[in-house]
Amino acid sequence: MNKLNTYRAGADEGGHFGIYGGRYVAETLMPLILTVEKAYATAKDDPDFWAEFHYYMKHYVGRPSPLYFAQRLTKHFGGAKVYFKRDELNHTGAHKINNTIGQILLARRIGMTRIIAETGAGQHGVATATVCALFGLPCVVYMGETDIERQAPNVFRMKLLGAEVRSVTAGTGTLKDAMNEALRDWVANVDDTFYIIGTVAGPHPYPTMVRDFQCVIGNEVREQITEAEHRLPDSVIACVGGGSNAMGLFHPFLDDEDVRIIGVEAGGHGIETGEHCASLTGGAPGVLHGNRTYLLQTDDGQIIDGHSISAGLDYPGIGPEHSWLHDVGRVDYVSVTDYEALTAFQLCTEKEGIIPALEPSHALAHVTKIAPELPEDHIMVMNMCGRGDKDIFAVAKHLGIDMGGIDQG
Amino acid sequence: MPETRIGRRFAELKAEGRSGLVSFLTAGDPNPETASEIMAGLPSAGVDLIELGMPFSDPMADGPSIQASSLRALKNGMTLSKTIDMVRGFRQHDHETPIILMGYYNPIYKYGVDRFLADAKDASIDGLIMVDLPPEEEGELCLPAIKAGLNFIYLTAPTTDDARLPMVLEKASGFVYYVSITGITGTRAAAIDDVRQSIERIRRRTDLPIAVGFGIRTPEQTAEVAAVADAAVVGSALVDLVRDNLDADCRAKPELVDRVLGLVGELAGGIRIAAESSTP
């Protein structure tokens, strides 16, 4: 395959990254999608829009998040020098807020007065409910019935923040069904409603727009690593569900050919078992939720629910730009199992005093595999995209530990 | 004489001086045998065009009724290939009633567009309605379908404004499907005055027949819509009746087929009343 002059030019006018992306939505929504596209195209070139965005990034989210040299883990691995991008220190505890701030500013620009969102683990729901509280807009979050049960603390958080959490029982009651339901709401409320999608997926312009908001991660890393090491890293690594934290870290490095880029998918019980969420490793191209991308699906094109210990990676698709980067070979996508992620979760907690979310624990699990084999002058940056407070009950359960009187319900 | 079954059917309706009834049912709901039995009875019960839903796990533009019908069909082993076979079975006894497949793109994409179009043509399927393929994505299936000799029916919505309408109508063939509400299937009905105005707006830009769907459930509503459009589409009300005639184990009760065809007959009656009352 010919090498491209740039990997950062997409999406094209129709929202495509190679054959991926696009605008596969019902006609009722199409005019609104075009309005969002136009509004974002204008906002993107407006310095005032970005000034406002960065104002909130600094004073509300707490950016820049630190780039932290994980000294004890580095010593433990005895190989590559490992840095964590500390996006788990953001307000609300994950990278999700970078995107929800960006989108709500856009929603306000086009005069929308009601916000809807989908959520799986509840992190995006919390981040959306948070910005709705901040700007005084009513917020409805769709969440699968199954997820509501396993993520009770986040459901309560959203309610405290004033959001209405609507339980989705259709289909299998998980993230993909929550997204279907949010799209149904949007179709019925096109006049006043803005849909804040939580990841780099959905119809154009969402994959591009969410990526641009999350690029604050990678842009900061470039500056911070240059300051710390006087050069760019040798590798950057992040977990991938829908893929927004990964895209935010990767995109600013796509054209630095010496930087190796690795995305880590959720391998669940193992790809061979069929119980996983690794769309790229174990799925095939298809069309869902407004875009063409790799999907977990049957031979008949029906969407299959994935499995992962991490609710945040539990989505049967992936952002279309990741699909393209996978096909053109610029990014290596690998997978790790639930068990490996759990082991990494414990290791990080013990060695660094950082309780990671189960999502970045997947990235760390891959770091534990490759870092020991790399030379000491290899600099690796991993995105610590969320903190693990929300996961301690799930982890306790998997470790067979009785939390006694502490009940997550 | 129009070249296609859809064209011929609308020409016949025009000659009869009435609008058409389009029925929507999901292929394989509640199971392949019962669904085929219902389908076989539709023309004599008064249906003029048959819309057959291709079951999909994630029907984003459909309400709870049609979602549930898709899942019932899939649970009972329905596939795209079996949907096409269902049409083949129907065609052994009926060569005239137009059949339109309606659904979402992924099952067809996975099946392979060329293979699908060849099989659809071979099974004498007449047209396609694809919920998630707007004109912006016409290269995927619309243009290949037209080339293969199938009608590609575009949806227009209340949100499709005058600036956009010509683009949607440009490649439309067979008829135009006007989605009468901003919303999902089976939820609420549009005000008939709004529908009339919208149809006039579309008629100024196309000679194609216009069918109206979403939210039409009763013979009265069907009559109302038939008075202003070339056809009325009824879906969720029929699908609900399938659901209501299942036993506790989701098996079809003996009276299911008759009940569904009975409602079809009443709806067809509504259409004919509309025709009589509008005769000058």
Side-chain angles (χ1 to χ4, degrees):
Chain A
M1 190 173 292
N2 291 330
K3 201 172 135 316
L4 300 172
N5 290 326
T6 176
Y7 291 93
R8 304 186 66 195
D12 69 15
E13 220 172 278
H16 296 97
F17 306 91
I19 65 163
Y20 302 103
R23 289 176 289 207
Y24 299 87
V25 298
E27 175 59 24
T28 312
L29 274 186
M30 199 58 215
L32 183 53
I33 294 281
L34 294 171
T35 304
V36 173
E37 183 189 328
K38 216 177 277 173
Y40 180 60
T42 315
K44 204 177 151 187
D45 294 330
D46 180 355
D48 289 346
F49 178 77
W50 291 109
E52 199 179 9
F53 175 78
H54 286 293
Y55 171 85
Y56 286 104
M57 286 297 111
K58 183 177 176 187
H59 298 286
Y60 190 72
V61 176
R63 303 205 73 96
S65 65
L67 183 71
Y68 165 72
F69 171 44
Q71 200 177 339
R72 291 197 70 216
L73 273 176
T74 297
K75 198 172 165 197
H76 174 79
F77 296 140
K81 200 170 179 186
V82 178
Y83 282 86
F84 290 159
K85 176 61 173 166
R86 302 285 306 272
D87 254 50
E88 102 279 13
L89 294 176
N90 293 342
H91 179 42
T92 72
H95 67 289
K96 294 289 185 186
I97 190 117
N98 303 331
N99 168 46
T100 58
I101 290 274
Q103 287 197 49
I104 204 162
L105 293 178
L106 188 71
R108 280 158 53 87
R109 261 175 96 98
I110 55 177
M112 293 300 184
T113 54
R114 175 177 177 266
I115 300 294
I116 57 170
E118 85 295 340
T119 197
Q123 291 303 99
H124 174 61
V126 167
T128 306
T130 298
V131 298
C132 286
L134 175 65
F135 290 103
L137 294 182
C139 176
V140 174
V141 179
Y142 289 92
M143 189 168 183
E145 194 181 32
T146 318
D147 290 331
I148 285 183
E149 278 167 33
R150 44 181 192 183
Q151 303 289 338
N154 273 342
V155 174
F156 186 54
R157 258 178 217 122
M158 287 184 268
K159 288 180 179 169
L160 284 173
L161 289 160
E164 181 193 338
V165 180
R166 289 193 189 160
S167 173
V168 178
T169 53
T172 48
T174 56
L175 178 55
K176 78 173 173 72
D177 304 293
M179 199 153 178
N180 290 336
E181 215 54 42
L183 285 164
R184 289 179 187 121
D185 179 312
W186 209 20
V187 165
N189 296 287
V190 285
D191 292 335
D192 65 350
T193 298
F194 191 94
Y195 179 15
I196 297 188
I197 295 181
T199 192
V200 285
H204 180 62
Y206 282 92
T208 307
M209 177 167 74
V210 177
R211 174 198 74 198
D212 292 350
F213 295 140
Q214 292 294 0
C215 272
V216 66
I217 301 170
N219 289 332
E220 285 176 6
V221 169
R222 283 184 79 92
E223 278 184 33
Q224 292 167 319
I225 198 73
T226 307
E227 195 185 316
E229 297 281 353
H230 309 291
R231 66 178 181 91
L232 293 182
D234 299 293
S235 56
V236 294
I237 181 163
C239 63
V240 186
S244 67
N245 94 84
M247 194 53 73
L249 174 65
F250 296 172
H251 200 261
F253 291 102
L254 288 177
D255 287 341
D256 300 295
E257 56 181 88
D258 294 333
V259 179
R260 191 177 167 209
I261 305 179
I262 306 167
V264 185
E265 293 193 292
H269 297 315
I271 304 295
E272 68 289 351
T273 65
E275 293 173 9
H276 60 83
C277 281
S279 318
L280 292 175
T281 319
V287 174
L288 180 72
H289 293 152
N291 58 177
R292 190 202 321 269
T293 192
Y294 278 79
L295 300 171
L296 303 180
Q297 55 180 320
T298 67
D299 291 340
D300 190 44
Q302 309 297 336
I303 308 306
I304 310 174
D305 267 306
H307 160 80
S308 171
I309 188 175
S310 147
L313 301 178
D314 209 340
Y315 178 65
I318 184 168
E321 193 167 9
H322 284 293
S323 292
W324 177 70
L325 290 167
H326 168 75
D327 280 11
V328 299
R330 175 62 186 98
V331 178
D332 294 326
Y333 293 90
V334 298
S335 71
V336 304
T337 64
D338 286 352
Y339 177 76
E340 290 168 328
L342 205 52
T343 308
F345 174 97
Q346 291 170 276
L347 180 71
C348 185
T349 307
E350 287 163 16
K351 295 284 182 205
E352 293 291 349
I354 295 170
I355 302 179
L358 283 169
E359 292 80 13
S361 297
H362 283 73
L364 187 61
H366 192 67
V367 171
T368 66
K369 289 183 191 176
I370 61 173
E373 310 301 324
L374 292 165
E376 285 180 11
D377 61 355
H378 182 105
I379 298 167
M380 178 179 281
V381 177
M382 189 203 95
N383 196 13
M384 183 61 76
C385 62
R387 58 177 172 245
D389 309 43
K390 69 181 173 65
D391 292 319
I392 55 169
F393 296 98
V395 170
K397 198 178 141 200
H398 284 280
L399 297 177
I401 292 164
D402 183 6
M403 298 281 275
I406 306 167
D407 186 0
Q408 69 157 319
Chain B
M1 198 66 178
E3 289 169 26
T4 66
R5 250 185 228 104
I6 295 174
R8 282 197 294 275
R9 179 52 47 99
F10 276 105
E12 288 160 15
L13 289 168
K14 199 170 181 184
E16 275 181 52
R18 68 174 178 92
S19 298
L21 175 65
V22 184
S23 65
F24 172 94
L25 283 154
T26 301
D29 176 33
N31 57 61
E33 299 72 34
T34 310
S36 293
E37 208 183 317
I38 299 172
M39 192 181 179
L42 290 172
S44 50
V47 163
D48 299 298
L49 296 92
I50 294 176
E51 225 186 86
L52 192 59
M54 298 174 277
F56 183 47
S57 54
D58 294 80
M60 278 113 54
D62 283 299
S65 299
I66 291 176
Q67 288 174 50
S69 76
S70 253
L71 293 184
R72 283 194 298 268
L74 291 173
K75 207 174 162 192
N76 286 314
M78 205 59 192
T79 60
L80 182 53
S81 168
K82 287 181 186 170
T83 301
I84 297 169
D85 284 345
M86 190 175 159
V87 179
R88 284 201 177 96
F90 177 87
R91 280 281 178 248
Q92 290 180 354
H93 309 285
D94 186 314
H95 304 281
E96 301 308 321
T97 309
I99 296 172
I100 299 121
L101 296 190
M102 178 167 191
Y104 298 78
Y105 183 42
N106 196 54
I108 292 174
Y109 179 68
K110 185 75 179 161
Y111 193 90
V113 166
D114 291 343
R115 178 181 161 218
F116 169 77
L117 290 174
D119 289 355
K121 192 75 191 156
D122 180 66
S124 298
I125 287 162
D126 302 289
L128 302 173
I129 301 176
M130 301 304 300
V131 177
D132 54 355
L133 287 179
E136 279 76 2
E137 303 293 350
E138 66 179 18
E140 296 283 346
L141 186 60
C142 168
L143 301 182
I146 292 170
K147 207 172 157 194
L150 273 82
N151 285 141
F152 198 88
I153 291 119
Y154 270 112
L155 300 154
T156 69
T159 51
T160 315
D161 60 19
D162 287 338
R164 181 172 169 78
L165 200 49
M167 176 197 179
V168 178
L169 294 173
E170 191 193 337
K171 295 280 170 17
S173 60
F175 60 93
V176 177
Y177 187 133
Y178 178 63
V179 174
S180 59
I181 55 159
T182 52
I184 52 178
T185 52
T187 46
R188 60 193 174 87
I192 196 66
D193 284 340
D194 293 345
V195 175
R196 184 182 298 113
Q197 280 179 22
S198 299
I199 288 179
E200 283 167 10
R201 194 161 67 88
I202 300 167
R203 263 203 223 291
R204 283 199 289 273
R205 289 179 174 76
T206 182
D207 295 329
L208 289 172
I210 302 167
V212 174
F214 283 46
I216 305 170
R217 304 187 69 94
T218 64
E220 294 71 29
Q221 289 170 323
T222 313
E224 233 179 29
V225 169
V228 297
D230 300 302
V233 187
V234 181
S236 296
L238 299 175
V239 168
D240 281 347
L241 208 49
V242 171
R243 178 200 62 203
D244 294 345
N245 284 281
L246 298 174
D247 66 19
D249 297 322
C250 272
R251 281 186 305 245
K253 289 185 187 170
E255 61 273 25
L256 186 150
V257 176
D258 287 343
R259 288 265 165 86
V260 174
L261 295 178
L263 177 58
V264 168
E266 289 173 35
L267 297 165
I271 295 256
R272 284 161 179 85
I273 290 166
E276 282 158 25
S277 59
S278 71
T279 308

